[in-house]
Amino acid sequence: MRKPILFIALIALGLAGVIWAADPDPGALRDLLARLEAWRAEHPGVLPAAFFGVYVAVAAASLPFAVWMTLLAGALFGFWGALALVSFASSIGASLAFLVARYLARDWVRARLGPRAARIDKGLARDGAFYLFSLRLIPVVPFFAVNLAFGLTPMRAATFYGVSQLGMLPGTAAFVFAGTQLGRIESLSDVLSPGLIGAFVLLGVLPWITRLVLRLIEARRRAARWPRPARFDRNLIVIGGGAAGLVAAYVAAAAKARVTLIAEGPMGGDCLNYGCVPSKALISAARAAVAARGNAGLGVAGQARVDFPAVMAHVRRAITAIEPNDSEERYRGLGVEVLRGRARLVDPWTVEVDGQRLSARAIVLATGAAPVIPPIPGIETAAPLTSETLWEHLAQLDAPPRDLLILGGGAMGCELAQALARLGAGVTLIEAGAILAREEPEAAALVRAGLEADGVRLIEGRVVRFAPGVAVLEDGAEVPFGTLLLATGRRARIEGMGLEDLGIAAGPVIETDDYLQTLVPGIYAAGDAAGPQQLTNAAGHQGWIAAANALAAPFWRFRAEATIPHAVFTAPEVARVGLSVAEAQAQGLAHDVTRYPLADLDRAVTEGEGSGFVQVLTAKGSDRILGATVIGPHAAEILSEFTLAMRHGLGLGKILSTPHIYPSWSEAAKNAAGRWRQARVNPRLLALAARFHAWRRG
């Protein structure tokens, strides 16, 4: 309910419309209530008992009449009588539905609820009965789904009944009060009476008030083990000097909050020192080598001479040039207190670093992630490199490695394999499944072809053990190598931080809600430590969200954006935002797929770059974009237009109607939108238009 005022206005207008459509004379409602009152006077106890029984049956059967019956109860029985009647009837009915789901219809309920049941299981495991209490206070999940889903859990029936009756009481009271006001309508003007408007205002603001109270209760409940300081030294402590931590500290400093940034590793984190910056500098050198060799299709031929130490010097210069943006000096100049050392959580408000204890109202964990070393027998004898040790190793070489084995066919593995092969390295890449398995299969196939064209040897198989200088596959094949590079994923850096002592759940990443808060209120996580996407742009966004929520709690909060674009900077490039076809199918979303080949793009023709395509998923019968994939030159830049459209709710029609530069690569987005439009032209309307124009010609 993000717009309660509009919601209240719509309810009031709808109510007025219903009353007018049913009978323009409000006296009819008064007459009906009067007749029911007279009948109740002659048969005391019968009407309340009958109403109670019907309400129990309606609640137990999950019929959509409960709200209207609650309003009617308020009009018939007054506030206190109706509150008692509805409170007990609704709780008993809900408990009957709970028992039916548990003992009679377990399989049917699980099939009907689908993912909802799993979410409720997770919430119950995390918060216990308090989770049910919060769902009753703020019905983000329909009551019928709550009743049925909790029947599948081990919660005791008595607990379910008691928590339900207590949790539903505030909402029941608000609707009963609205019903008492409806019972006082004597004319159409009373529809907009202060009492009735006040009733609907109460219904509109109750979720907001309840949500705030719940947050305060939850914060106190989860932090009850630790004494809360009377005052704090600072507003925010940020742990981690990577993209997420730097953005979080910057946001807090810009808001004039007192913030401390604690960094154990190098400022700038993995992106600056081991990831994005050095790898893209290496890729740029590799592209220069390809350009020097010419393009036969364009009538140009040449020969490249690779000075590998100079290439690595370029990589180092790129890091050095960007370092000042992430330096301690810059952040101290912004007003951030920067401390070096390893931080550990003492309680929800206290952090210890090198024996010094610091307190803050909120903490952001942005500790990044470390390379995963898979537990393959013999791997320690291979002295594997990771993203953190690769660059120092390469900087010591006079020439590219002659027999490099890369384990892992994700973005990192594919990018480095191709770049080093283009610079003259001998590269073998082993992937247990398919390379770039999360991307569209057609896009991954084009990348595979590009890797092989550049001399990368690709092997699909699983390494089961290492012997000296040899990787052994599960089929018994042996792959010799001189240098091993692991590109097998990353895991959040969380060991030794005290998360377990505070009850903060963590696996590969730290568990958070949609607002990046952990199970302990006031402690947030962002970036690679929080996932699910370990991307620099995702980390920066999450750092902003975590800092904003930490500073504004409990009065306001922002939801972390789920639509984050990503790119793989191979040749050809792959860029995607939103859903792939497989993901849309897995979610059961009805969708259309529009594909535009870059071979039809005039700019691609002039540059001799015809491979690749733009693919857009739209909601069935709509131009609303669900996802987009671009593969080809400048894919990351082409994708930005789709990301902007998705972020601000713009459809393909808006992209199509926007003038683009000709000839440009950005026209690929417009032309894809044009393909979508062409496929939806009604032939009957075209025939009618032809007749119309023929008539106008005379």
Side-chain angles (χ1 to χ4, degrees):
M1 198 178 306
R2 299 179 179 178
K3 299 180 179 179
I5 304 301
L6 177 60
F7 177 75
I8 295 163
L10 289 175
I11 289 180
L13 290 174
L15 178 63
V18 168
I19 294 174
W20 181 265
D23 188 339
D25 180 12
L29 177 61
R30 292 199 314 276
D31 293 342
L32 173 62
L33 293 175
R35 288 195 297 271
L36 289 173
E37 287 286 352
W39 191 84
R40 183 175 64 172
E42 296 176 4
H43 307 84
V46 176
L47 183 60
F51 193 95
F52 184 88
V54 172
Y55 201 110
V56 169
V58 166
S62 302
L63 298 177
F65 310 136
V67 170
W68 305 109
M69 291 189 68
T70 303
L71 294 172
L72 181 59
L76 282 175
F77 305 113
F79 179 79
W80 293 109
L83 181 62
L85 187 151
V86 172
S87 178
F88 283 100
S90 60
S91 301
I92 292 172
S95 299
L96 290 176
F98 169 92
L99 294 172
V100 167
R102 171 166 292 181
Y103 295 111
L104 300 178
R106 177 176 290 270
D107 293 338
W108 176 83
V109 169
R110 189 169 293 279
R112 182 180 179 187
L113 294 180
R116 284 177 175 170
R119 288 196 295 269
I120 286 179
D121 284 340
K122 183 179 179 180
L124 182 62
R126 184 183 65 232
D127 295 330
F130 185 79
Y131 181 64
L132 173 61
F133 181 68
S134 64
L135 290 179
R136 291 308 196 191
L137 280 176
I138 305 176
V140 293
V141 179
F143 277 167
F144 82 88
V146 173
N147 300 339
L148 298 177
F150 271 87
L152 307 180
T153 70
M155 177 176 281
R156 294 172 58 247
T159 302
F160 178 84
Y161 173 83
V163 173
S164 295
Q165 181 145 6
L166 182 62
M168 291 190 291
L169 194 60
T172 299
F175 276 98
V176 165
F177 176 70
T180 63
Q181 300 303 305
L182 288 173
R184 298 175 183 175
I185 293 178
E186 296 184 359
S187 66
L188 285 177
S189 61
D190 290 338
V191 172
L192 298 178
S193 66
L196 190 56
I197 291 176
F200 284 111
V201 168
L202 177 62
L203 292 176
V205 301
L206 181 63
W208 289 68
I209 297 172
T210 305
R211 186 176 286 113
L212 178 60
V213 171
L214 261 183
R215 289 180 199 165
L216 295 174
I217 293 174
E218 184 180 35
R220 288 183 177 275
R221 183 179 68 89
R222 288 182 174 169
R225 293 167 47 194
W226 301 277
R228 180 184 174 90
R231 64 182 303 277
F232 301 95
D233 300 328
R234 50 195 52 77
N235 300 94
L236 184 67
I237 293 175
V238 179
I239 302 175
L246 293 177
V247 171
Y250 181 92
V251 168
K256 301 305 178 184
R258 186 176 182 188
V259 55
T260 295
L261 174 68
I262 303 172
E264 181 181 14
M267 294 288 284
D270 295 323
C271 178
L272 172 64
N273 298 282
Y274 314 122
C276 312
V277 174
S279 66
K280 301 317 169 281
L282 187 74
I283 289 170
S284 296
R287 287 177 177 167
V290 171
R293 295 179 185 121
N295 185 324
L298 298 179
V300 178
Q303 188 173 11
R305 185 183 67 84
V306 176
D307 182 345
F308 196 69
V311 169
M312 296 311 300
H314 161 68
V315 172
R316 181 66 252 174
R317 284 196 303 273
I319 296 173
T320 302
I322 297 174
E323 273 180 337
N325 297 330
D326 300 341
S327 66
E328 295 181 37
E329 292 75 19
R330 180 184 180 227
Y331 275 79
R332 289 194 176 103
L334 293 171
V336 177
E337 179 188 28
V338 180
L339 300 179
R340 308 291 294 177
R342 183 166 181 78
R344 186 178 185 280
L345 298 172
V346 177
D347 59 43
W349 306 282
T350 308
V351 173
E352 184 175 85
V353 53
D354 293 339
Q356 179 184 3
R357 291 200 170 189
L358 317 172
S359 68
R361 288 188 61 89
I363 300 168
V364 173
L365 306 176
T367 51
V372 170
I373 299 179
I376 301 174
I379 194 170
E380 66 282 351
T381 65
L385 299 172
T386 68
S387 59
E388 295 182 351
T389 57
L390 170 67
W391 305 105
E392 182 179 354
H393 173 79
L394 293 179
Q396 297 172 355
L397 301 180
D398 294 329
R402 296 176 59 86
D403 47 6
L404 174 66
L405 173 61
I406 299 179
L407 196 61
M412 173 187 165
C414 290
E415 288 181 355
L416 293 177
Q418 186 177 52
L420 288 168
R422 286 180 157 192
L423 292 168
V427 182
T428 299
L429 189 151
I430 299 179
E431 167 56 44
I435 67 166
L436 302 182
R438 296 182 180 180
E439 306 304 330
E440 299 289 2
E442 298 89 342
L446 288 175
V447 172
R448 181 187 182 95
L451 291 173
E452 291 176 334
D454 284 317
V456 178
R457 179 190 178 196
L458 291 173
I459 299 175
E460 289 186 358
R462 186 179 301 277
V463 176
V464 295
R465 64 184 177 88
F466 284 94
V470 174
V472 182
L473 304 181
E474 56 187 349
D475 62 1
E478 295 185 351
V479 181
F481 67 90
T483 304
L484 174 63
L485 171 62
L486 300 179
T488 47
R490 301 171 63 78
R491 184 183 180 90
R493 289 189 179 94
I494 55 177
E495 293 79 9
M497 290 191 59
L499 300 183
E500 305 85 358
D501 297 338
L502 270 63
I504 297 176
V509 295
I510 300 172
E511 183 178 323
T512 66
D513 60 17
D514 292 341
Y515 306 92
L516 302 181
Q517 185 171 249
T518 68
L519 292 176
V520 176
I523 299 181
Y524 298 79
D528 289 359
Q533 296 171 295
Q534 293 182 334
L535 302 167
T536 298
N537 53 339
H541 169 75
Q542 289 185 346
W544 182 90
I545 293 293
N549 287 342
L551 296 174
F555 307 106
W556 197 261
R557 60 180 180 173
F558 304 89
R559 188 184 300 270
E561 176 62 49
T563 305
I564 301 291
H566 66 271
V568 183
F569 292 93
T570 48
E573 284 183 6
V574 182
R576 178 160 70 89
V577 64
L579 300 178
S580 66
V581 172
E583 290 168 346
Q585 291 173 343
Q587 295 181 25
L589 295 176
H591 63 279
D592 293 315
V593 179
T594 301
R595 182 174 292 184
Y596 172 75
L598 292 182
D600 292 346
L601 183 68
D602 291 357
R603 182 58 183 266
V605 172
T606 64
E607 295 192 11
E609 298 278 5
S611 65
F613 57 82
V614 176
Q615 178 174 288
V616 187
L617 271 69
T618 49
K620 197 75 173 179
S622 167
D623 72 340
R624 181 169 62 88
I625 303 170
L626 300 176
T629 295
V630 183
I631 178 164
H634 312 286
E637 279 69 33
I638 295 171
L639 186 77
S640 295
E641 192 163 359
F642 293 108
T643 304
L644 178 71
M646 291 184 67
R647 182 69 178 85
H648 296 284
L650 305 176
L652 287 180
K654 296 295 185 183
I655 293 178
L656 181 59
S657 64
T658 301
H660 289 64
I661 293 174
Y662 176 88
S664 67
W665 287 98
S666 66
E667 277 194 306
K670 179 180 180 180
N671 292 354
R675 286 288 176 95
W676 173 86
R677 176 65 70 193
Q678 289 172 3
R680 284 151 187 81
V681 175
N682 190 320
R684 293 183 179 179
L685 289 179
L686 285 179
L688 184 61
R691 291 182 182 180
F692 171 74
H693 291 300
W695 169 76
R696 296 200 70 185
R697 290 194 300 270

